Amino acid sequence: MTLDRSKLWTGDLNAKALEPQPRATIGLYDTTLRDGEQTVGVVLSPEDKLEIARALDAAGVDRIEAGFPRVSEDDARAISLILEAELDAEVWGFSRAVGGDVAALVELGLTASVIESPISDGKLAALGVSREAMLERIRSAVELARSQGIRVAFFGVDSSRADLEFAKRAYTAAVEAGAEEVVVVDTLGIATPEAAAFLVTEIAERLDYEVAIHWHGHDDFGLATAAAIAAVQAGATWVQGTVNGMGERAGNADLVEVALALEALYGIPTRLRLEHVRELSQMVQRLTGTPLAPWKPITGDNLFTRESGAVAAQFHDPPAIEPYASELVGAERGIVLGKKSGLDSIRIKLAELGLQAPQEQHAELLELVKKAGTRKRRLVTDAEFRRLVNRKRDRSTID
């Protein structure tokens, strides 16, 4: 969808610094149902995965990685349910460079899949596999998948720590065996944005820019979103990530964060329907039992909620205190009361709740709110504020 730029209040600094920019639409590949489920303690039922897949589809995600069928019968069943749902999004599988994994894809009727293989020397040593043996595994698995009509994206595990020349050999071998796409993978989240761009450029050049490149990054150093955007600027046309940045260790790139940053700050389009993303985020939190920090960008509870009295004084003018309109991401704005409230907070909350209090009482109500918030060490709820107002009114009537 086209982003309504009248709802962006980001100024012109980015445009001055960034132009010229690529303008090709970037594909979004969601791996919440596979990589996201690797979050410690998270278990999704096949029905949960179908519900999330439907929501991803409604939000405009281009591709959904439905799972790794050889993990369990439940994973295979989830894939079957998602395939039967006939979503608009492409449904992809996940496989190691192992014949049995590929056979499981074929049995389920999947027509597209990532095929992964470790390519860093550290990973190969841990597995006790030589470089040449791994290249042969890659060729064999990709050829088998292609012979069964499966579109392949070769996924080079730990490519950001691999010997660069060997990484190029691995990607070349996969493409020569029939892979139509490749995934450059920052498995441990160690790539700076500059390194992500460098690595994507090196792989793209080796493949003569004829193969679609994905970026798949993790967030161990807090750079997953920035690295994904740098990869796009270097020529990646797909970004892989998860809802809420779920995943093992520090998680994956948050696909929603990447999409909004690309669209709003870089002017690079995606097909994500941003008005659905908070609903999607909340669903995933509920089904996985993994609540977000309230200050999380885009989907956190605090993003359009104001307690500070200084900010409440400007609440009537959203561009003064927010970088984009709340409705852009399906959020609602609101004032909450507590220790940091001001007189404008009281005025706005009274109007919001339909309560009446003379202006000369506002300062006393503010003092009561501040004391309550400080004593309870939390916000003052609407019900508690309502009681404060009613008690003040009753006392005034008696007096």
Side-chain angles (χ1 to χ4, degrees):
M1 61 174 294
T2 302
L3 189 69
D4 183 355
R5 303 198 72 82
S6 70
K7 293 178 176 164
L8 294 174
W9 309 311
T10 53
D12 62 358
L13 178 63
N14 291 320
K16 289 177 178 177
L18 293 167
E19 293 299 340
Q21 275 289 109
R23 289 290 183 265
T25 298
I26 297 303
L28 301 178
Y29 179 111
D30 183 88
T31 181
T32 302
L33 305 182
R34 197 272 307 172
D35 210 341
E37 196 188 20
Q38 292 180 219
T39 302
V40 171
V42 169
V43 177
L44 293 167
S45 71
E47 291 74 21
D48 292 338
K49 291 188 176 185
L50 175 60
E51 187 176 352
I52 293 171
R54 290 187 187 279
L56 289 166
D57 188 49
V61 169
D62 300 279
R63 292 177 176 176
I64 299 169
E65 190 173 272
F68 182 7
R70 292 198 83 193
V71 166
S72 69
E73 290 184 7
D74 269 1
D75 284 68
R77 181 165 176 266
I79 293 169
S80 293
L81 289 175
I82 293 167
L83 286 170
E84 290 166 6
E86 297 184 348
L87 306 177
D88 290 330
E90 294 179 23
V91 178
W92 280 59
F94 185 89
S95 164
R96 296 166 298 180
V98 174
D101 286 9
V102 175
L105 303 174
V106 175
E107 183 177 348
L108 287 168
L110 283 160
T111 58
S113 183
V114 157
I115 291 182
E116 70 145 21
S117 172
I119 60 174
S120 69
D121 287 334
K123 292 283 189 183
L124 294 176
L127 293 171
V129 179
S130 70
R131 287 183 175 184
E132 295 306 317
M134 189 55 76
L135 290 176
E136 185 52 39
R137 287 189 189 183
I138 293 167
R139 294 188 191 99
S140 178
V142 172
E143 287 173 355
L144 175 59
R146 292 298 298 127
S147 72
Q148 298 299 313
I150 295 175
R151 182 182 183 91
V152 173
F154 172 66
F155 187 101
V157 175
D158 209 20
S159 49
S160 58
R161 296 194 304 166
D163 173 78
L164 184 57
E165 286 309 309
F166 180 68
K168 292 177 181 179
R169 287 181 64 198
Y171 284 110
T172 300
V175 170
E176 289 176 347
E180 297 179 62
E181 304 177 21
V182 298
V183 189
V184 179
V185 187
D186 187 21
T187 300
L188 296 182
I190 58 87
T192 64
E194 295 81 3
F198 172 79
L199 186 55
V200 167
T201 299
E202 289 289 312
I203 301 303
E205 288 181 351
R206 173 59 67 93
L207 301 176
D208 294 326
Y209 295 94
E210 294 179 352
V211 177
I213 293 182
H214 300 225
W215 175 261
H216 178 111
H218 286 253
D219 203 31
D220 296 74
F221 286 85
L223 292 173
T225 295
I229 290 166
V232 166
Q233 291 181 302
T237 54
W238 288 90
V239 173
Q240 298 193 357
T242 60
V243 177
N244 298 336
M246 292 180 65
E248 59 184 339
R249 302 185 323 280
N252 289 255
D254 185 322
L255 211 55
V256 170
E257 286 185 18
V258 172
L260 182 61
L262 284 173
E263 297 232 22
L265 302 180
Y266 290 80
I268 299 173
T270 72
R271 283 174 282 269
L272 194 67
R273 301 184 183 106
L274 290 166
E275 68 274 15
H276 293 290
V277 298
R278 286 174 71 92
E279 180 182 355
L280 172 63
S281 169
Q282 290 161 6
M283 170 193 288
V284 171
Q285 291 176 64
R286 171 175 57 83
L287 292 175
T288 60
T290 54
L292 297 181
W295 49 82
K296 180 87 163 73
I298 307 172
T299 50
D301 289 342
N302 287 359
L303 196 62
F304 296 99
T305 301
R306 300 288 180 264
E307 180 187 357
S308 167
V311 177
Q314 306 169 61
F315 191 74
H316 64 285
D317 186 10
I321 56 174
E322 292 157 11
Y324 54 87
S326 59
E327 60 266 29
L328 200 66
V329 293
E332 295 183 1
R333 306 176 73 237
I335 288 287
V336 292
L337 300 178
K339 173 187 173 183
K340 298 178 283 294
S341 295
L343 285 172
D344 285 290
S345 309
I346 300 298
R347 174 182 56 78
I348 294 169
K349 184 58 74 172
L350 286 168
E352 178 187 314
L353 298 178
L355 299 173
Q356 300 294 323
Q359 188 168 349
E360 57 268 22
Q361 293 182 0
H362 289 191
E364 189 174 348
L365 284 170
L366 175 61
E367 187 62 26
L368 291 171
V369 164
K370 284 178 171 289
K371 285 181 178 178
T374 301
R375 183 177 68 255
K376 297 179 180 183
R377 300 179 71 179
R378 60 169 173 78
L379 295 175
V380 175
T381 67
D382 287 351
E384 289 169 335
F385 181 64
R386 196 183 293 273
R387 287 196 292 273
L388 288 175
V389 173
N390 289 339
R391 281 203 297 269
K392 181 64 183 169
R393 183 190 61 220
D394 293 344
R395 286 173 186 161
S396 298
T397 301
I398 292 171
D399 294 342

